[in-house]
mmCIF file with all atom_site columns, all heavy atoms in Angstrom:
data_model
loop_
_atom_site.group_PDB
_atom_site.id
_atom_site.type_symbol
_atom_site.label_atom_id
_atom_site.label_alt_id
_atom_site.label_comp_id
_atom_site.label_asym_id
_atom_site.label_entity_id
_atom_site.label_seq_id
_atom_site.pdbx_PDB_ins_code
_atom_site.Cartn_x
_atom_site.Cartn_y
_atom_site.Cartn_z
_atom_site.occupancy
_atom_site.B_iso_or_equiv
_atom_site.pdbx_formal_charge
_atom_site.auth_seq_id
_atom_site.auth_comp_id
_atom_site.auth_asym_id
_atom_site.auth_atom_id
_atom_site.pdbx_PDB_model_num
ATOM 1  N N   . LEU A 1 85 ? -0.903  9.467  -22.743 1.00 90.00 ? 85 LEU A N   1
ATOM 2  C CA  . LEU A 1 85 ? -1.232  10.105 -21.472 1.00 90.00 ? 85 LEU A CA  1
ATOM 3  C C   . LEU A 1 85 ? -2.633  9.733  -21.038 1.00 90.00 ? 85 LEU A C   1
ATOM 4  O O   . LEU A 1 85 ? -2.878  9.454  -19.866 1.00 90.00 ? 85 LEU A O   1
ATOM 5  C CB  . LEU A 1 85 ? -1.130  11.625 -21.605 1.00 90.00 ? 85 LEU A CB  1
ATOM 6  C CG  . LEU A 1 85 ? 0.275   12.189 -21.558 1.00 90.00 ? 85 LEU A CG  1
ATOM 7  C CD1 . LEU A 1 85 ? 0.217   13.699 -21.524 1.00 90.00 ? 85 LEU A CD1 1
ATOM 8  C CD2 . LEU A 1 85 ? 1.008   11.672 -20.350 1.00 90.00 ? 85 LEU A CD2 1
ATOM 9  N N   . ALA A 1 86 ? -3.570  9.712  -21.981 1.00 90.00 ? 86 ALA A N   1
ATOM 10 C CA  . ALA A 1 86 ? -4.945  9.395  -21.628 1.00 90.00 ? 86 ALA A CA  1
ATOM 11 C C   . ALA A 1 86 ? -5.040  8.002  -21.034 1.00 90.00 ? 86 ALA A C   1
ATOM 12 O O   . ALA A 1 86 ? -5.713  7.802  -20.016 1.00 90.00 ? 86 ALA A O   1
ATOM 13 C CB  . ALA A 1 86 ? -5.841  9.502  -22.856 1.00 90.00 ? 86 ALA A CB  1
ATOM 14 N N   . SER A 1 87 ? -4.337  7.026  -21.633 1.00 92.00 ? 87 SER A N   1
ATOM 15 C CA  . SER A 1 87 ? -4.478  5.671  -21.097 1.00 92.00 ? 87 SER A CA  1
ATOM 16 C C   . SER A 1 87 ? -3.802  5.537  -19.745 1.00 92.00 ? 87 SER A C   1
ATOM 17 O O   . SER A 1 87 ? -4.356  4.913  -18.835 1.00 92.00 ? 87 SER A O   1
ATOM 18 C CB  . SER A 1 87 ? -3.962  4.623  -22.080 1.00 92.00 ? 87 SER A CB  1
ATOM 19 O OG  . SER A 1 87 ? -2.970  5.126  -22.890 1.00 92.00 ? 87 SER A OG  1
ATOM 20 N N   . VAL A 1 88 ? -2.614  6.152  -19.604 1.00 94.00 ? 88 VAL A N   1
ATOM 21 C CA  . VAL A 1 88 ? -1.946  6.076  -18.305 1.00 94.00 ? 88 VAL A CA  1
ATOM 22 C C   . VAL A 1 88 ? -2.824  6.699  -17.223 1.00 94.00 ? 88 VAL A C   1
ATOM 23 O O   . VAL A 1 88 ? -3.043  6.120  -16.153 1.00 94.00 ? 88 VAL A O   1
ATOM 24 C CB  . VAL A 1 88 ? -0.573  6.785  -18.360 1.00 94.00 ? 88 VAL A CB  1
ATOM 25 C CG1 . VAL A 1 88 ? -0.004  6.948  -16.971 1.00 94.00 ? 88 VAL A CG1 1
ATOM 26 C CG2 . VAL A 1 88 ? 0.379   6.010  -19.224 1.00 94.00 ? 88 VAL A CG2 1
ATOM 27 N N   . LEU A 1 89 ? -3.376  7.883  -17.539 1.00 93.00 ? 89 LEU A N   1
ATOM 28 C CA  . LEU A 1 89 ? -4.148  8.601  -16.517 1.00 93.00 ? 89 LEU A CA  1
ATOM 29 C C   . LEU A 1 89 ? -5.466  7.919  -16.202 1.00 93.00 ? 89 LEU A C   1
ATOM 30 O O   . LEU A 1 89 ? -5.876  7.878  -15.040 1.00 93.00 ? 89 LEU A O   1
ATOM 31 C CB  . LEU A 1 89 ? -4.400  10.032 -16.981 1.00 93.00 ? 89 LEU A CB  1
ATOM 32 C CG  . LEU A 1 89 ? -3.212  10.942 -16.748 1.00 93.00 ? 89 LEU A CG  1
ATOM 33 C CD1 . LEU A 1 89 ? -3.487  12.320 -17.293 1.00 93.00 ? 89 LEU A CD1 1
ATOM 34 C CD2 . LEU A 1 89 ? -2.882  11.020 -15.265 1.00 93.00 ? 89 LEU A CD2 1
ATOM 35 N N   . SER A 1 90 ? -6.150  7.368  -17.222 1.00 93.00 ? 90 SER A N   1
ATOM 36 C CA  . SER A 1 90 ? -7.444  6.773  -16.900 1.00 93.00 ? 90 SER A CA  1
ATOM 37 C C   . SER A 1 90 ? -7.268  5.530  -16.040 1.00 93.00 ? 90 SER A C   1
ATOM 38 O O   . SER A 1 90 ? -8.050  5.305  -15.115 1.00 93.00 ? 90 SER A O   1
ATOM 39 C CB  . SER A 1 90 ? -8.238  6.457  -18.166 1.00 93.00 ? 90 SER A CB  1
ATOM 40 O OG  . SER A 1 90 ? -7.554  5.524  -18.924 1.00 93.00 ? 90 SER A OG  1
ATOM 41 N N   . VAL A 1 91 ? -6.224  4.752  -16.315 1.00 94.00 ? 91 VAL A N   1
ATOM 42 C CA  . VAL A 1 91 ? -5.988  3.588  -15.454 1.00 94.00 ? 91 VAL A CA  1
ATOM 43 C C   . VAL A 1 91 ? -5.627  4.045  -14.047 1.00 94.00 ? 91 VAL A C   1
ATOM 44 O O   . VAL A 1 91 ? -6.146  3.526  -13.055 1.00 94.00 ? 91 VAL A O   1
ATOM 45 C CB  . VAL A 1 91 ? -4.872  2.698  -16.027 1.00 94.00 ? 91 VAL A CB  1
ATOM 46 C CG1 . VAL A 1 91 ? -4.535  1.591  -15.060 1.00 94.00 ? 91 VAL A CG1 1
ATOM 47 C CG2 . VAL A 1 91 ? -5.313  2.114  -17.340 1.00 94.00 ? 91 VAL A CG2 1
ATOM 48 N N   . ALA A 1 92 ? -4.749  5.058  -13.969 1.00 94.00 ? 92 ALA A N   1
ATOM 49 C CA  . ALA A 1 92 ? -4.303  5.519  -12.659 1.00 94.00 ? 92 ALA A CA  1
ATOM 50 C C   . ALA A 1 92 ? -5.481  6.045  -11.838 1.00 94.00 ? 92 ALA A C   1
ATOM 51 O O   . ALA A 1 92 ? -5.681  5.646  -10.692 1.00 94.00 ? 92 ALA A O   1
ATOM 52 C CB  . ALA A 1 92 ? -3.248  6.602  -12.826 1.00 94.00 ? 92 ALA A CB  1
ATOM 53 N N   . LEU A 1 93 ? -6.278  6.913  -12.452 1.00 93.00 ? 93 LEU A N   1
ATOM 54 C CA  . LEU A 1 93 ? -7.413  7.490  -11.728 1.00 93.00 ? 93 LEU A CA  1
ATOM 55 C C   . LEU A 1 93 ? -8.424  6.407  -11.361 1.00 93.00 ? 93 LEU A C   1
ATOM 56 O O   . LEU A 1 93 ? -8.893  6.332  -10.226 1.00 93.00 ? 93 LEU A O   1
ATOM 57 C CB  . LEU A 1 93 ? -8.089  8.570  -12.579 1.00 93.00 ? 93 LEU A CB  1
ATOM 58 C CG  . LEU A 1 93 ? -7.289  9.847  -12.780 1.00 93.00 ? 93 LEU A CG  1
ATOM 59 C CD1 . LEU A 1 93 ? -8.022  10.790 -13.721 1.00 93.00 ? 93 LEU A CD1 1
ATOM 60 C CD2 . LEU A 1 93 ? -7.043  10.536 -11.452 1.00 93.00 ? 93 LEU A CD2 1
ATOM 61 N N   . GLY A 1 94 ? -8.732  5.548  -12.350 1.00 93.00 ? 94 GLY A N   1
ATOM 62 C CA  . GLY A 1 94 ? -9.715  4.495  -12.102 1.00 93.00 ? 94 GLY A CA  1
ATOM 63 C C   . GLY A 1 94 ? -9.263  3.572  -10.982 1.00 93.00 ? 94 GLY A C   1
ATOM 64 O O   . GLY A 1 94 ? -10.039 3.222  -10.104 1.00 93.00 ? 94 GLY A O   1
ATOM 65 N N   . TYR A 1 95 ? -7.985  3.212  -11.010 1.00 93.00 ? 95 TYR A N   1
ATOM 66 C CA  . TYR A 1 95 ? -7.495  2.268  -10.002 1.00 93.00 ? 95 TYR A CA  1
ATOM 67 C C   . TYR A 1 95 ? -7.430  2.910  -8.619  1.00 93.00 ? 95 TYR A C   1
ATOM 68 O O   . TYR A 1 95 ? -7.896  2.345  -7.643  1.00 93.00 ? 95 TYR A O   1
ATOM 69 C CB  . TYR A 1 95 ? -6.107  1.764  -10.395 1.00 93.00 ? 95 TYR A CB  1
ATOM 70 C CG  . TYR A 1 95 ? -5.639  0.606  -9.543  1.00 93.00 ? 95 TYR A CG  1
ATOM 71 C CD1 . TYR A 1 95 ? -5.980  -0.684 -9.879  1.00 93.00 ? 95 TYR A CD1 1
ATOM 72 C CD2 . TYR A 1 95 ? -4.878  0.829  -8.399  1.00 93.00 ? 95 TYR A CD2 1
ATOM 73 C CE1 . TYR A 1 95 ? -5.582  -1.755 -9.104  1.00 93.00 ? 95 TYR A CE1 1
ATOM 74 C CE2 . TYR A 1 95 ? -4.477  -0.234 -7.610  1.00 93.00 ? 95 TYR A CE2 1
ATOM 75 C CZ  . TYR A 1 95 ? -4.828  -1.522 -7.975  1.00 93.00 ? 95 TYR A CZ  1
ATOM 76 O OH  . TYR A 1 95 ? -4.433  -2.565 -7.198  1.00 93.00 ? 95 TYR A OH  1
ATOM 77 N N   . LEU A 1 96 ? -6.866  4.115  -8.564  1.00 92.00 ? 96 LEU A N   1
ATOM 78 C CA  . LEU A 1 96 ? -6.632  4.733  -7.258  1.00 92.00 ? 96 LEU A CA  1
ATOM 79 C C   . LEU A 1 96 ? -7.935  5.161  -6.595  1.00 92.00 ? 96 LEU A C   1
ATOM 80 O O   . LEU A 1 96 ? -8.076  5.083  -5.386  1.00 92.00 ? 96 LEU A O   1
ATOM 81 C CB  . LEU A 1 96 ? -5.697  5.937  -7.410  1.00 92.00 ? 96 LEU A CB  1
ATOM 82 C CG  . LEU A 1 96 ? -4.266  5.556  -7.808  1.00 92.00 ? 96 LEU A CG  1
ATOM 83 C CD1 . LEU A 1 96 ? -3.447  6.787  -8.105  1.00 92.00 ? 96 LEU A CD1 1
ATOM 84 C CD2 . LEU A 1 96 ? -3.613  4.756  -6.697  1.00 92.00 ? 96 LEU A CD2 1
#
Side-chain angles (χ1 to χ4, degrees):
Chain A
L85 281 187
S87 28
V88 169
L89 279 177
S90 62
V91 174
L93 290 176
Y95 190 87
L96 292 173

